[in-house]
Amino acid sequence: MNMLFILPLQAAPQGSALPTILMFGAIILVMWLFMIRPQRKQQKELAEFRNALKKGDKVVTVGGIYGEIVEVNEKTALIRVDGDVKLRVDKQGLVKDYSETAQK
């Protein structure tokens, strides 16, 4: 009692490609608004932060090491971690200034 249904193959109706193009355009716009634009803004702020580093700023590295900047070069910074302990780190490894939060 198996019934076999044979469906005739029909060509898809030929319509306009405009709705598909608009849909893909909308998806790209949403991705740009919610993903790409905020990430670029964050990268720009981080680059400005790294370029504005100066002696005495309190910073945090990507590894979570807190320190105070003693010396800043073009690509590196020397930070005082504790007492006389100093570390030379790449400026790309500095992610946050905690000067304001350290005083509260």
Side-chain angles (χ1 to χ4, degrees), residues 23-94:
M23 182 182 66
F24 281 118
I27 290 171
I28 291 170
L29 178 67
V30 167
M31 285 180 59
W32 181 77
L33 283 174
F34 291 108
M35 295 173 67
I36 298 169
R37 188 170 155 243
Q39 184 178 11
R40 283 188 181 170
K41 182 180 177 186
Q42 185 180 24
Q43 287 175 343
K44 182 180 176 184
E45 290 172 355
L46 193 55
E48 289 173 359
F49 159 72
R50 290 175 178 152
N51 290 332
L53 289 173
K54 61 188 179 301
K55 183 177 179 179
D57 286 348
K58 296 181 184 210
V59 294
V60 180
T61 66
V62 291
I65 299 172
Y66 287 72
E68 181 179 342
I69 294 185
V70 177
E71 174 187 315
V72 179
N73 295 330
E74 184 179 330
K75 294 188 179 223
T76 62
L78 187 65
I79 61 172
R80 179 181 300 119
V81 179
D82 185 33
D84 290 335
V85 179
K86 296 177 185 173
L87 299 173
R88 184 163 307 278
V89 295
D90 193 68
K91 284 171 75 172
Q92 299 297 319
L94 301 174

